[in-house]
Amino acid sequence: MATEGKESAIVENRSLKVEQNLRCASDKFFALSLDMLFVVGLDGYIKQLNPMSEKTLCFTSQEFLSLRLLEFVHPQDREFTRTQFQKLENITETVSFENRCRCKDGSYKWLLWNATLSHEEQLIYLVARDITASKQEKQALQETEERYRLLVESVKDYAIYMLDPQGHVISWNAGAERLKRYRAEEIIGKHFSCFYLSEDVEQGKPEQELRVAQAEGRFEDEGWRVRKDGSRFLANAVVTALRGKDGQLRGFAKVTRDITERKLAQEALQLAHDELEKRVEERTAELTQANALLRQEIDVRKRTEVALRQSKAHLKEQAKQLEEALLELHSTQAQLIQKEKMSSLGQLVAGIAHEINNPVSFIYCNLDYANRYMQDLLHLLRLYQQNFPQGTPEILEAESAIDLDFLVADITKLLSSMKRGAKRIHEIVLSLRNFARHDEAEMKFVNIHEGIDSTLSLLQNRLKATEGCPSIQVIQAYGDLPLVECYPGLLNQVFMNLFANAIDALEELERTKVTSLSPSHPTIIIRTEVVGQRIRISIADNGPGMTEEVRRRLYDPFFTTKSVGQGIGLGLSICYQIVVEKHRGQLNCISQPGKGAEFVIEIPVFARSTQPTSLLSKTEVSSQQQLALN
């Protein structure tokens, strides 16, 4: 019996040690858990908690143990939480729910709870996990999706809609309803081929567009489309394939705009251009015929004068008058031709600039000869005045009538003024051609500084002082750049857009500034330099600058800070495409509110892998362009 008692005591001691070891291990796991652990009595008071609970909600153990668990729950979530606890009385499974719990600083965190009831111990065991971050991410995602939806739905100038992978319409914005005249409930679910001409549908054009977009990511096309009422319009359409993170095709986004008016305007412009060329040819033929008739008349008059006047002095005087008449006739002829060409110059600058430059070069080159001839005639006139001071009454009367002294003094000034004017016209035409450069669709090596100067020349009127705004100072800090391989016309568009935006910002600052504050003078600084195998062009202004939020969205299509009617927000987006996509360069903006804005363009000197065998110097390029224009 004694032996059995000893063995029983040994077993009991071993059981106690195992139980103590298990309790110790449980306490360690209780302390190491990354989730919050609570033990709550049926009276609602917290009996036990782990360190993670204190760390997450920032209350001490004493503060937790002194209050009921529901007192830490958000007032709006308490009734819901109480209901979840009541479920534990009737089930043996775990109950999961979410609510908000108060932190010590007064803020609330979202918690995911798992709870179970131990009927033997009359205790509720709870595990809580902080899900605040995931809740916030989900809410932010919902807000982003809502903003995108509102943006698409508010665009009325473009039809923006979504297609499923088979081509059925699944979304429809206000612009699509205005352009195609279908309401959303009428078109959603239908195949987008209903917008195409019947012959295009028979040829499988809609399906072909989707196949190209799926293969290449994007498809763009111009063609005729049909509205709900059967009317047609010319459309520019872009189809973009939409893929998920897994790479699977989710559908297509399609943007369509009506370009009918633009096409009609282009056709009207071409018709006007052809008509103008025809009128110039007809007018030139008429002037040539009139000139021939006038020359015949001059020859007759010369023969008549020789026969009628025997006096050598009188004969030379008549010859002088005839030469002046001929010079005036040539001048009148040139003016008529110039006037005819200038009648439509505003619409056809790039197309007829060389036609203007030819007669101007002719006039400019002949003014030196005309000046020398005039000096010879004036010298001859002075000899006549010295050797024959007593002229006939007819000569004296004519001399008084024309105010000979004033004429002699003013004729040289007049010719000099004409020469300066012809030179200025020549410079303007050169600037227009350098800016437009429609004949340079291919990449070529050009002088970047000439493109910048030509663009500034066209903006001179906006740089001058106006009412309420002083003149804008332009500082050209040019470096020594090599010839750059690029698309000159496209780069000039970028310069024009950036200069125009800088001028708009400076003018807006001048209109809104407080006079007493007197900020610095409006200034645009242009810097150029070579950086390795690239060139860098910086265009900076001391305008109002912009916030970081605006700067991040500068290149987004349709984003603009200008008022309605002053811009649609595509200028900088197009500039970005020209610099980055066309020239494999970079376009960056550096700006802070009140500190102006600086746009930095970087493009490679050589767009292709091979370099040219020889590069012309700046002087040689300028000379060759001058010869080409002449």
Side-chain angles (χ1 to χ4, degrees):
M1 293 295 292
T3 302
E4 291 179 359
K6 289 180 180 180
E7 290 178 353
S8 176
I10 292 172
V11 171
E12 184 176 354
N13 289 333
R14 288 178 179 175
S15 299
L16 289 175
K17 287 183 180 180
V18 170
E19 183 177 353
Q20 289 175 356
N21 290 336
L22 289 175
R23 187 180 296 112
C24 181
S26 175
D27 291 340
K28 288 183 179 179
F29 281 117
F30 200 72
L32 291 174
S33 174
L34 296 178
D35 292 329
M36 294 183 288
L37 305 177
F38 292 93
V39 179
V40 180
L42 296 182
D43 58 357
Y45 281 94
I46 299 172
K47 306 302 182 181
Q48 189 178 358
L49 67 153
N50 70 334
M52 183 55 67
S53 303
E54 301 178 22
K55 183 177 180 181
T56 302
L57 299 181
C58 300
F59 286 102
T60 64
S61 296
Q62 295 300 323
E63 290 172 330
F64 273 117
L65 297 175
S66 63
L67 297 172
R68 290 184 175 89
L69 179 62
L70 285 177
E71 295 184 46
F72 296 95
V73 178
H74 193 286
Q76 296 178 0
D77 298 341
R78 288 178 183 173
E79 186 61 33
F80 169 75
T81 304
R82 186 180 290 108
T83 302
Q84 300 302 314
F85 284 159
Q86 291 173 355
K87 291 180 180 179
L88 296 172
E89 299 177 2
N90 302 318
I91 62 176
T92 59
E93 300 174 355
T94 301
V95 175
S96 296
F97 58 92
E98 296 177 4
N99 65 12
R100 290 165 290 178
C101 284
R102 177 168 53 90
C103 299
K104 190 169 185 177
D105 61 2
S107 63
Y108 284 87
K109 289 187 177 182
W110 279 97
L111 302 180
L112 173 63
W113 295 85
N114 280 338
T116 185
L117 173 63
S118 174
H119 291 278
E120 295 81 0
E121 299 175 305
Q122 293 295 293
L123 294 174
I124 301 174
Y125 292 89
L126 300 106
V127 179
R129 178 171 296 175
D130 185 357
I131 59 171
T132 306
S134 62
K135 280 280 188 179
Q136 292 174 346
E137 291 176 0
K138 183 177 180 181
Q139 182 178 2
L141 179 61
Q142 291 174 345
E143 292 175 353
T144 301
E145 292 175 348
E146 179 67 13
R147 285 196 297 269
Y148 174 75
R149 183 185 63 79
L150 293 174
L151 172 64
V152 171
E153 291 180 354
S154 64
V155 174
K156 296 184 179 180
D157 293 333
Y158 290 78
I160 303 176
Y161 55 97
M162 308 285 287
L163 306 175
D164 64 15
Q166 289 74 41
H168 297 94
V169 179
I170 58 176
S171 72
W172 198 249
N173 78 327
E177 182 174 340
R178 184 187 67 81
L179 181 60
K180 299 180 183 291
R181 301 177 184 172
Y182 286 94
R183 296 193 304 275
E185 58 269 20
E186 295 175 324
I187 197 62
I188 289 179
K190 292 185 177 181
H191 197 272
F192 81 114
S193 60
C194 64
F195 307 135
Y196 289 74
L197 302 180
S198 57
E199 52 266 33
D200 291 339
V201 176
E202 292 175 0
Q203 295 173 3
K205 185 175 180 180
E207 291 77 9
Q208 177 66 18
E209 290 183 4
L210 296 187
R211 285 195 296 270
V212 174
Q214 182 177 356
E216 301 180 4
R218 184 178 185 273
F219 177 83
E220 183 171 0
D221 176 51
E222 289 185 2
W224 290 100
R225 298 293 187 270
V226 182
R227 298 187 177 93
K228 177 185 176 183
D229 58 7
S231 61
R232 299 182 178 187
F233 66 97
L234 194 60
N236 172 270
V238 178
V239 182
T240 304
L242 303 177
R243 297 184 180 275
K245 293 182 179 179
D246 56 359
Q248 294 297 318
L249 181 67
R250 301 298 178 85
F252 302 90
K254 190 162 186 180
V255 180
T256 305
R257 62 189 178 102
D258 188 350
I259 61 172
T260 308
E261 293 184 0
R262 189 190 76 185
K263 284 292 185 181
L264 293 176
Q266 290 177 348
E267 293 175 359
L269 185 62
Q270 184 61 41
L271 182 62
H273 177 269
D274 297 340
E275 180 65 22
L276 177 61
E277 286 189 343
K278 181 180 177 182
R279 289 172 59 193
V280 169
E281 291 175 359
E282 292 175 352
R283 188 61 173 167
T284 302
E286 292 175 0
L287 290 172
T288 302
Q289 184 179 2
N291 187 37
L293 294 174
L294 286 172
R295 286 183 179 277
Q296 294 177 8
E297 182 182 348
I298 291 171
D299 292 339
V300 172
R301 289 179 62 184
K302 282 183 178 181
R303 291 193 297 270
T304 303
E305 288 295 331
V306 170
L308 292 175
R309 300 186 181 277
Q310 299 298 324
S311 172
K312 183 179 180 180
H314 193 61
L315 181 61
K316 289 187 176 182
E317 182 66 22
Q318 288 296 323
K320 174 187 174 183
Q321 293 177 3
L322 290 174
E323 290 293 336
E324 290 177 351
L326 181 60
L327 181 61
E328 183 178 358
L329 176 63
H330 288 165
S331 176
T332 302
Q333 177 186 1
Q335 290 176 6
L336 289 174
I337 294 174
Q338 187 72 358
K339 182 178 180 180
E340 189 69 17
K341 290 180 179 178
M342 289 293 287
S343 61
S344 297
L345 184 61
Q347 300 178 4
L348 303 171
V349 170
I352 63 173
H354 64 281
E355 296 292 344
I356 300 172
N357 192 57
N358 289 337
V360 169
S361 298
F362 172 77
I363 294 171
Y364 180 78
C365 293
N366 283 284
L367 280 175
D368 288 333
Y369 296 106
N371 186 42
R372 288 200 294 270
Y373 297 160
M374 187 59 63
Q375 294 301 324
D376 292 341
L377 292 173
L378 291 176
H379 177 66
L380 180 60
L381 175 60
R382 286 192 290 271
L383 291 177
Y384 271 109
Q385 288 176 333
Q386 293 171 5
N387 293 289
F388 301 97
Q390 299 298 327
T392 64
E394 184 179 359
I395 293 175
L396 294 175
E397 183 179 354
E399 180 180 343
S400 175
I402 66 175
D403 193 359
L404 183 60
D405 293 336
F406 172 77
L407 188 147
V408 171
D410 192 56
I411 190 67
T412 302
K413 297 178 181 178
L414 180 63
L415 288 171
S416 177
S417 177
M418 291 170 64
K419 185 174 181 180
R420 288 195 302 271
K423 183 177 181 181
R424 176 57 181 157
I425 295 174
H426 178 76
E427 292 173 350
I428 292 174
V429 170
L430 182 60
S431 294
L432 289 172
R433 285 203 59 184
N434 283 342
F435 174 75
R437 305 189 90 143
H438 291 294
D439 57 339
E440 298 179 3
E442 299 294 332
M443 273 199 168
K444 65 185 301 183
F445 287 90
V446 298
N447 187 335
I448 292 295
H449 292 156
E450 290 183 358
I452 296 174
D453 293 342
S454 298
T455 306
L456 288 174
S457 178
L458 298 179
L459 291 171
Q460 282 300 316
N461 189 53
R462 293 199 62 190
L463 296 173
K464 296 178 181 178
T466 59
E467 183 179 355
C469 182
S471 63
I472 298 175
Q473 180 183 8
V474 178
I475 299 176
Q476 295 163 277
Y478 290 165
D480 187 11
L481 298 185
L483 299 185
V484 178
E485 187 180 19
C486 64
Y487 295 101
L490 294 179
L491 274 187
N492 287 343
Q493 290 182 38
V494 175
F495 298 149
M496 176 65 77
N497 194 283
L498 295 181
F499 289 147
N501 283 351
I503 294 172
D504 289 341
L506 292 171
E507 289 179 347
E508 181 65 22
L509 179 63
E510 291 298 325
R511 285 193 295 268
T512 58
K513 75 177 184 179
V514 179
T515 306
S516 60
L517 297 179
S518 183
S520 58
H521 189 83
T523 303
I524 297 175
I525 302 176
I526 308 168
R527 297 185 179 91
T528 62
E529 59 180 330
V530 177
V531 182
Q533 293 297 318
R534 291 177 167 240
I535 65 161
R536 178 180 296 163
I537 306 164
S538 167
I539 300 173
D541 63 68
N542 59 346
M546 64 190 78
T547 63
E548 179 64 18
E549 180 181 0
V550 171
R551 192 189 67 80
R552 286 199 305 267
R553 300 185 60 193
L554 279 179
Y555 310 119
D556 292 351
F558 312 112
F559 176 74
T560 179
T561 58
K562 296 180 181 179
S563 57
V564 177
Q566 293 187 354
I568 61 174
L570 288 177
L572 286 177
S573 177
I574 293 173
C575 289
Y576 187 84
Q577 292 177 354
I578 290 173
V579 174
V580 177
E581 298 178 10
K582 288 288 185 180
H583 292 86
R584 297 187 297 111
Q586 296 179 358
L587 176 60
N588 297 312
C589 176
I590 304 169
S591 180
Q592 293 182 16
K595 295 185 178 181
E598 179 181 7
F599 285 85
V600 181
I601 303 169
E602 287 192 11
I603 60 174
V605 175
F606 304 107
R608 292 170 285 216
S609 58
T610 57
Q611 302 180 5
T613 55
S614 62
L615 300 180
L616 298 178
S617 66
K618 299 176 184 177
T619 305
E620 290 171 330
V621 171
S622 178
S623 300
Q624 288 196 8
Q625 290 178 343
Q626 185 76 15
L627 290 173
L629 290 177
N630 290 336

